[in-house]
């Protein structure tokens, strides 16, 4: 089998997606997600100008070799644009191989270690009663694990809180919006939030919380200690992780489980965190971390240190990435949990898929390959629109981590 063509489909059914379609001389094609929220066209250009010309004529079954060719062969390694482009190719090739061998991708990765992937979704509220109502709604939908985010009194726009009655969606069309942040108000408030949620729903529900990189290590340690009575499933991204050693300090002070890595693009971003057991869940994602090939290796390394996976799964990761995460999550032994922020109905229409949610779990389905397609005609009706993630400033105007 040979790769005969590869092209990009850039569309915006409610939000932007960059999709790579690789076609072969046997009529089989594969899809890869190449979406990098707020920097979409950089990846599209990287693929179009520098990667696609090198793919034509290659054997699509040579996944490892093509991965190494694009990684080592570029000389310039790592970085979100490069690794997202490599991931798109990698995932499309796994899709092709599954279709060619008439089997779901999870079978190519070792087969099922479990029947379904436990998922968590997002509850958001402008205030504590709103957050409690949102948790209740998701419990009724069948979720067994829920991330809770809430507006902080005195802070006009907190991370994870929707504007109006729309579902929470980080990217917005137009130039970046600015939100305000106060660590002091946040640290005083979050324990009250989780106390109220536990009082309302009891001890059994899995609760998660995303700090979104906004604390220093010692502040994160204080938060972890304060939340211990509410035994969260995890605290996510408590502090930026460029300096992996920062997590050692958090670890010294709290038994709160820690998850990080949604912005990582290389195994090396996580190497110290994992081998020192400074985290409990690695959140690297297939689309930004170099594909199924790279994430399988990272997960296997993490397994040695009893670190589990918690792959990022926000709406800026396309249904192709969701499917890839579910196939890999079903196969690996150290799967922890999968994030599930459902896509809009329109996004789901553009990307028909075999995966489904039922009673707290997601299932990739048994279609050959990844089980996701793209309706190119419908996609063409929703052209790309420039969009950005917000930026955050402290109350005195200092730019801080969003
Ligand atoms: O802000 O995916 O856990 N989920 C998150 C997301 C991220 C977006 C960034 O593109 O932190 O909401
Ligand atoms: Co997050």
């Amino acid at each position: 089998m040979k790769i005969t063509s590869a092209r990009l489909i850039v569309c915006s059914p409610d939000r932007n997606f960059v999709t790579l379609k690789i076609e072969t001389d046997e009529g089989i094609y594969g899809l890869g997600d190449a979406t990098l929220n707020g920097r979409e066209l950089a990846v599209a250009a990287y693929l179009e100008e520098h990667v696609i010309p090198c793919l034509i004529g290659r054997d699509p079954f040579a996944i490892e070799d093509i991965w190494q060719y694009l990684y080592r062969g570029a000389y310039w390694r790592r970085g979100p644009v490069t690794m997202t482009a490599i991931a798109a190719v990698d995932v499309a090739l796994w899709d092709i191989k599954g279709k060619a061998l008439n089997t779901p991708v999870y079978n190519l990765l070792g087969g099922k270690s479990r029947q379904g992937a436990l998922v968590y979704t997002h509850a958001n509220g402008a205030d504590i009663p709103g957050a409690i109502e949102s948790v209740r709604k998701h419990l009724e939908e069948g979720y067994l694990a829920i991330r809770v985010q809430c507006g902080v009194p005195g802070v006009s726009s907190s991370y994870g809180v929707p504007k109006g009655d729309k579902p929470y969606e980080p990217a917005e069309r137009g130039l970046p919006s600015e939100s305000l942040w106060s660590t002091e108000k946040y640290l005083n408030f979050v324990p009250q939030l989780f106390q109220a949620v536990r009082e309302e729903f009891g001890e059994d529900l899995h609760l998660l919380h995303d700090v979104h990189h906004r604390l220093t290590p010692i502040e994160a340690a204080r938060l972890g200690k304060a939340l211990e009575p509410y035994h969260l499933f995890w605290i996510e991204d408590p502090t930026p992780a460029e300096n992996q050693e920062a997590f050692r300090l958090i670890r010294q002070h709290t038994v709160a489980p820690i998850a990080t890595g949604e912005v990582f693009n290389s195994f090396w971003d996580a190497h110290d965190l994992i081998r020192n057991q400074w985290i409990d869940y690695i959140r690297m994602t297939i689309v930004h971390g170099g594909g199924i090939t790279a994430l399988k290796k990272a997960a296997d390394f993490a397994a040695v240190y009893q670190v589990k996976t918690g792959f990022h799964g926000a709406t800026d990761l396309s249904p192709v990435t969701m499917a890839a995460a579910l196939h890999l999550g079903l196969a690996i032994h150290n799967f922890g949990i999968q994030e599930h922020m459902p896509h809009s109905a329109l996004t789901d229409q553009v990307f028909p898929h075999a995966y489904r949610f039922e009673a707290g779990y997601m299932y990739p389905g048994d279609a050959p390959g990844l089980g996701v397609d793209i309706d190119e005609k419908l996609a063409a009706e929703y052209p790309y629109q420039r969009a950005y993630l917000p930026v955050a400033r402290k109350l005195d105007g200092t730019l801080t981590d969003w």
Side-chain angles (χ1 to χ4, degrees):
M1 201 190 295
K2 278 193 172 20
I3 296 172
T4 49
S5 77
R7 60 197 165 79
L8 289 165
I9 303 149
V10 182
C11 62
S12 195
D14 293 330
R15 51 153 306 101
N16 290 321
F17 294 108
V18 179
T19 307
L20 176 68
K21 185 168 187 174
I22 299 183
E23 290 164 319
T24 66
D25 57 353
E26 293 188 16
I28 294 172
Y29 62 86
L31 296 180
D33 181 17
T35 309
L36 183 62
N37 202 2
R39 296 293 185 271
E40 294 87 353
L41 299 188
V43 185
Y46 189 108
L47 281 163
E48 220 146 52
E49 296 296 323
H50 308 293
V51 173
I52 287 175
C54 304
L55 295 177
I56 310 305
R58 282 181 192 277
D59 172 6
F61 267 40
I63 298 177
E64 177 71 25
D65 183 64
I66 290 175
W67 195 98
Q68 299 295 346
Y69 184 89
L70 295 176
Y71 183 78
R72 292 173 200 275
Y75 187 61
W76 313 109
R77 298 183 188 192
R78 302 167 56 174
V81 175
T82 296
M83 299 310 288
T84 302
I86 294 176
V89 174
D90 182 79
V91 169
L93 297 181
W94 282 102
D95 191 26
I96 288 171
K97 189 174 282 195
K99 288 175 178 170
L101 300 176
N102 196 30
T103 194
V105 166
Y106 62 72
N107 274 336
L108 306 176
L109 302 170
K112 283 185 189 179
S113 285
R114 58 193 53 76
Q115 296 308 310
L118 177 69
V119 297
Y120 72 92
T121 197
H122 298 184
N124 319 288
D127 52 19
I128 290 178
I132 285 179
E133 275 330 293
S134 180
V135 171
R136 195 184 312 285
K137 180 177 145 257
H138 294 309
L139 280 173
E140 283 163 8
E141 291 163 348
Y143 286 96
L144 304 170
I146 300 179
R147 185 190 94 162
V148 188
Q149 308 295 134
C150 185
V152 177
V155 183
S156 63
S157 48
S158 308
Y159 166 77
V161 179
K163 290 184 185 133
D165 55 0
K166 290 207 158 167
Y168 173 66
E169 170 55 60
E172 285 176 14
R173 288 168 179 168
L175 294 176
S177 63
E178 301 211 352
S179 56
L180 281 181
W181 178 247
S182 161
T183 295
E184 296 73 17
K185 293 185 197 307
Y186 170 80
L187 281 177
N188 289 333
F189 175 72
V190 177
Q192 298 170 36
L193 167 67
F194 281 94
Q195 185 182 10
V197 172
R198 277 284 178 230
E199 271 171 18
E200 186 72 22
F201 298 103
E203 303 297 319
D204 287 346
L205 172 62
H206 294 309
L207 295 174
L208 301 84
H209 181 68
D210 193 349
V211 179
H212 225 258
H213 320 274
R214 289 180 181 197
L215 299 177
T216 65
I218 200 68
E219 290 163 353
R222 174 180 151 194
L223 180 69
K225 279 176 101 161
L227 292 180
E228 278 175 18
Y230 316 114
H231 52 93
L232 268 53
F233 188 97
W234 78 36
I235 294 177
E236 177 173 332
D237 293 333
T239 198
E242 281 96 333
N243 174 18
Q244 297 177 46
E245 193 132 15
F247 284 68
R248 179 208 299 269
L249 192 144
I250 302 172
R251 210 44 151 185
Q252 283 169 342
H253 292 283
T254 178
V255 296
I258 304 292
T260 199
E262 68 181 47
V263 301
F264 295 178
N265 54 70
S266 160
F267 164 73
W268 296 104
D269 293 332
H271 183 222
D272 291 340
L273 291 170
I274 294 171
R275 71 194 174 96
N276 290 301
Q277 297 179 306
W278 290 331
I279 59 170
D280 301 280
Y281 296 90
I282 176 69
R283 278 183 49 70
M284 274 177 74
T285 164
I286 286 167
V287 57
H288 303 140
I292 292 171
T293 298
L295 267 282
K296 172 80 166 73
K297 293 175 187 178
D300 288 344
F301 181 83
V304 175
Y305 298 93
Q306 300 189 49
V307 173
K308 295 182 186 176
T309 63
F311 301 138
H312 191 201
T315 45
D316 48 298
L317 286 63
S318 96
V320 176
T321 292
M322 176 52 81
L326 292 172
H327 283 271
L328 181 58
L330 229 63
I332 54 178
H333 181 253
N334 59 324
F335 169 82
I337 198 166
Q338 170 66 46
E339 183 177 21
H340 180 221
M341 193 180 168
H343 289 107
S344 76
L346 182 59
T347 299
D348 280 342
Q349 247 180 296
V350 168
F351 295 93
H353 51 257
Y355 66 74
R356 65 193 169 85
F357 169 84
E358 194 188 321
Y361 292 83
M362 284 178 81
Y363 301 85
D366 297 319
L370 293 171
V372 183
D373 211 341
I374 184 164
D375 181 337
E376 291 192 54
K377 259 176 100 178
L378 188 59
E381 290 177 26
Y382 302 95
Y384 166 80
Q385 297 196 27
R386 182 182 290 128
Y388 288 94
L389 289 161
V391 298
R393 291 187 188 277
K394 295 186 180 173
L395 298 183
D396 71 352
T398 308
L399 198 93
T400 188
D401 299 277
W402 174 69

